[in-house]
Amino acid sequence: MAPLYLLLLFLAFLSDGDAAVFTISNRCKTTIWPGILAGAGKPQLLGGGFELKPGLSVNINAPLAWSGRIWARTGCTFGTSGRGSCLTGDCGGVLRCNGAGGQPPASLAEFTLNSPLDYYDISLVDGFNLPISVMPSNPSRCKATKCVSDLNKNCPIPLQVKWHGQVVACKSACYALNQPQYCCTGAYSTPKTCSPTYYSKIFKAACPTAYSYAYDDPTSTFTCNNVNYWIVFC
């Protein structure tokens, strides 16, 4: 993995005014459709979505102070007009999400660049659909965060999303059960009152450096600066 990692990230260069290069790679056995949602007032990258076949990668220049999230859609079918649907991560039935977020559950890579450091994480707060990794281009000083376990294989029954009898995604307890203790709302709206639950502990055990619930900050937020990022699915 290391030679390909270095080739993808160190051959990518920063153009004037760019903060980082995101290299998005598909290591899955099937095609995925990455989605990108920029934060408020930030530019949408590549129209917010594209198709990525197995084994391929795409480099994307992110401007200074960009923030947003990246996820993968699965099981998509789009017509020539760019309209269609996806089994997981759908963003309103269009190929280019262009400002629309992905429908949970979906594994997320989240970034806030130049603030003044880069902040990044993997979030399962909205659930899981595919294994995902985020690796900075300088691993000697910046840590990678990964969720490489396939949570779909061990997803608790109340959280399962099925298609033709197969589990294709795993909902978060908040999304599936919509109760304050799982969503960290109401009487559970602070870090002191919202603790890990049975379901979030399953996510955390499988992916120790990923957000398993809303207040999972201490082990799930990472910082770096002056690097590029490799986002790998599967």
Side-chain angles (χ1 to χ4, degrees):
M1 178 178 291
L4 176 60
Y5 175 29
L6 295 174
L7 178 64
L8 287 170
L9 285 167
F10 286 105
L11 288 183
F13 59 89
L14 294 177
S15 62
D16 291 341
D18 288 330
V21 174
F22 294 135
T23 298
I24 301 177
S25 297
N26 180 7
R27 290 281 187 89
C28 306
K29 295 180 180 179
T30 58
T31 298
I32 61 173
W33 290 261
I36 307 172
L37 175 64
K42 308 301 181 183
Q44 302 299 333
L45 306 180
L46 288 189
F50 55 95
E51 180 181 305
L52 191 60
K53 295 185 181 300
L56 297 185
S57 300
V58 170
N59 288 339
I60 305 171
N61 288 346
L64 290 170
W66 189 85
S67 63
R69 54 177 52 181
I70 299 170
W71 72 99
R73 294 166 287 172
T74 65
C76 301
T77 302
F78 294 108
T80 55
S81 66
R83 299 201 64 85
S85 63
C86 301
L87 290 181
T88 70
D90 202 2
C91 61
V94 291
L95 172 61
R96 301 195 179 279
C97 300
N98 200 25
Q103 176 71 23
S107 316
L108 303 176
E110 300 179 314
F111 295 89
T112 299
L113 305 180
N114 312 104
S115 188
L117 296 173
D118 295 349
Y119 292 83
Y120 57 99
D121 65 78
I122 288 173
S123 176
L124 307 180
V125 174
D126 287 342
F128 172 96
N129 66 340
L130 285 178
I132 182 174
S133 304
V134 175
M135 289 170 276
S137 59
N138 191 334
S140 65
R141 64 179 179 86
C142 305
K143 293 182 178 180
T145 175
K146 303 179 180 182
C147 182
V148 295
S149 298
D150 187 354
L151 277 163
N152 293 335
K153 294 181 178 178
N154 299 303
C155 184
I157 291 175
L159 311 185
Q160 293 178 357
V161 177
K162 289 187 174 182
W163 176 258
H164 291 170
Q166 299 294 317
V167 178
V168 295
C170 190
K171 299 176 184 177
S172 68
C174 174
Y175 184 63
L177 306 175
N178 194 29
Q179 295 180 14
Q181 65 267 37
Y182 300 124
C183 298
C184 295
T185 56
Y188 300 87
S189 61
T190 70
K192 289 185 178 180
T193 57
C194 194
S195 301
T197 66
Y198 166 77
Y199 295 113
S200 71
K201 288 177 180 178
I202 292 175
F203 281 31
K204 198 65 176 178
C207 300
T209 63
Y211 267 90
S212 60
Y213 77 108
Y215 290 120
D216 199 8
D217 302 83
T219 59
S220 309
T221 298
F222 298 86
T223 61
C224 199
N225 65 327
N226 300 320
V227 295
N228 300 323
Y229 295 94
W230 189 24
I231 302 105
V232 181
F233 292 100
C234 298

